[in-house]
Amino acid sequence: MDLDDESPPTDPAAALRLIQDQRSAAARRLDPDARLLYWPWAVAWLIGFGLFFLRFTPGDRALVDLPSWLPLTVLFVLLAAAGTVQAVVSMRAYGQVTGESAQRGKWYGYVWALGSVSIYAGLGRIAEHLPHDQAALLWSATAVGLTGALHMAGGAIWLDQDLFRLGVWISVINLIGAIAGPGWHPLVVAVAGGGGMLVAGAIARRRQRQRQQS
């Protein structure tokens, strides 16, 4: 065994480069590609809500003759896929992380799960008494509004400006879509919401690279 290979570099510049390389490698392991956290949700919103608009256009018309069950089914499948991707990526990056930050992340995940289930349970009892277009607006506006609020909460917890701003953006476009009414809401959410997540993922990834290179 060559002990010289295990000895630290004697050149200060080489030692500094080694420290920077190790720091960058650790950052890459603990900071997953932001695009994997944002873009699966963006695709789900673009396609899922886009199909809703094509099938349930304003005026109770259909731009594309799709089965009535298809948009909701596709949306749920894509949302489940996006959640799976996020869970896998997060576990690989943060699975070995302990301490206060890990506890916050775990509790934040519980908020998402329990908050969604409790709200949707209540909506299920109300929506059945509404016309189809109004029930669809109630479901989608509430779901998107919850997403925006929880994004803002996550940004406040971790002081993440990008996440907080995305939550504000989602909340604003959800309000605009709700005011526009049934049929228009899914179009606004698909284009502005899904598109906003694509942009947010690209910006977050660029800042990641800047941090890793610094």
Side-chain angles (χ1 to χ4, degrees):
M1 178 177 179
D2 190 353
L3 295 179
D4 291 340
D5 292 339
E6 302 296 328
S7 60
T10 57
D11 181 10
L16 180 59
R17 286 195 301 271
L18 178 61
I19 293 173
Q20 291 175 337
D21 291 342
Q22 292 176 341
R23 181 180 300 171
S24 297
R28 286 191 295 270
R29 289 196 302 270
L30 298 176
D31 199 9
D33 190 331
R35 293 171 296 186
L36 296 176
L37 301 177
Y38 286 94
W39 285 4
W41 298 103
V43 171
W45 282 28
L46 282 168
I47 297 177
F49 284 107
L51 289 178
F52 263 103
F53 173 73
L54 294 177
R55 176 59 180 82
F56 303 107
T57 308
D60 200 21
R61 295 177 291 108
L63 291 179
V64 179
D65 187 16
L66 299 172
S68 59
W69 54 266
L70 183 62
L72 185 60
T73 301
V74 171
L75 178 61
F76 278 165
V77 169
L78 291 176
L79 289 177
T84 301
V85 171
Q86 183 170 18
V88 171
V89 171
S90 298
M91 284 298 297
R92 287 181 176 177
Y94 309 125
Q96 304 302 318
V97 177
T98 59
E100 185 175 297
S101 180
Q103 190 67 35
R104 288 180 182 179
K106 183 183 298 184
W107 287 359
Y108 185 60
Y110 293 156
V111 171
W112 268 98
L114 294 178
S116 300
V117 171
S118 61
I119 286 179
Y120 296 155
L123 290 180
R125 299 298 299 270
I126 298 173
E128 62 184 9
H129 302 292
L130 297 175
H132 178 271
D133 59 343
Q134 296 295 331
L137 177 61
L138 177 64
W139 276 99
S140 59
T142 303
V144 175
L146 177 65
T147 300
L150 290 177
H151 274 66
M152 288 188 288
I157 292 172
W158 287 286
L159 300 179
D160 187 331
Q161 293 185 357
D162 292 334
L163 187 60
F164 186 84
R165 289 169 181 166
L166 179 59
V168 171
W169 174 253
I170 291 174
S171 300
V172 170
I173 63 106
N174 184 55
L175 177 61
I176 294 173
I179 293 174
W184 294 112
H185 183 266
L187 177 63
V188 173
V189 173
V191 176
M197 289 184 181
L198 287 176
V199 173
I203 293 174
R205 179 55 181 167
R206 184 183 65 183
R207 292 183 177 176
Q208 279 182 328
R209 288 174 174 171
Q210 291 174 347
R211 291 194 302 268
Q212 293 169 359
Q213 294 172 358
S214 62

